[in-house]
Amino acid sequence: MPQALEKVDAYISTKPKDAQGRFMRGLILTELGRPAEAIAIFTRLTEDFPELPEPYNNLAVLYANQNQLDKARTALEMAIRTNPSYATAHENLGDIY
């Protein structure tokens, strides 16, 4: 994972607005056990690309792992608003409830 983070950081340095690269960075940080940094990445993605449901979903998972269930629910509701057929967000919302 540290090598993956180096590679994604190098990619993002050439394309800082690339949503997929930034999303991948958030996933890698999550896997590395760095949730605060991952939350910052996913939060920024929701601000820059509010139409994408995946960053909201990943935020919700991180919040749920920290027992911040209200924040997780809100993030999942936003994911579903952006894409009503996003099954993963519906499933995760059911888990929150």
Side-chain angles (χ1 to χ4, degrees):
M1 282 296 162
Q3 294 159 335
L5 184 60
E6 287 176 21
K7 288 186 180 198
V8 80
D9 283 344
Y11 175 78
I12 292 171
S13 71
T14 63
K15 297 182 180 183
K17 296 194 184 269
D18 183 79
Q20 289 181 330
R22 292 165 56 193
F23 185 80
M24 183 60 64
R25 186 171 198 279
L27 293 176
I28 293 167
L29 289 169
T30 300
E31 288 297 316
L32 287 170
R34 294 162 58 181
E37 293 171 79
I39 286 171
I41 295 285
F42 294 130
T43 299
R44 184 60 189 231
L45 280 168
T46 64
E47 294 165 356
D48 294 344
F49 303 95
E51 71 280 4
L52 297 177
E54 292 86 356
Y56 291 110
N57 184 69
N58 285 65
L59 268 175
V61 170
L62 290 165
Y63 287 143
N65 287 339
Q66 296 176 349
N67 204 31
Q68 297 182 50
L69 300 182
D70 286 337
K71 285 184 175 183
R73 180 184 46 77
T74 300
L76 289 167
E77 289 170 350
M78 287 300 298
I80 292 167
R81 250 183 247 143
T82 63
N83 183 352
S85 63
Y86 188 37
T88 303
H90 284 282
E91 182 179 338
N92 288 340
L93 186 59
D95 291 343
I96 295 297
Y97 285 127

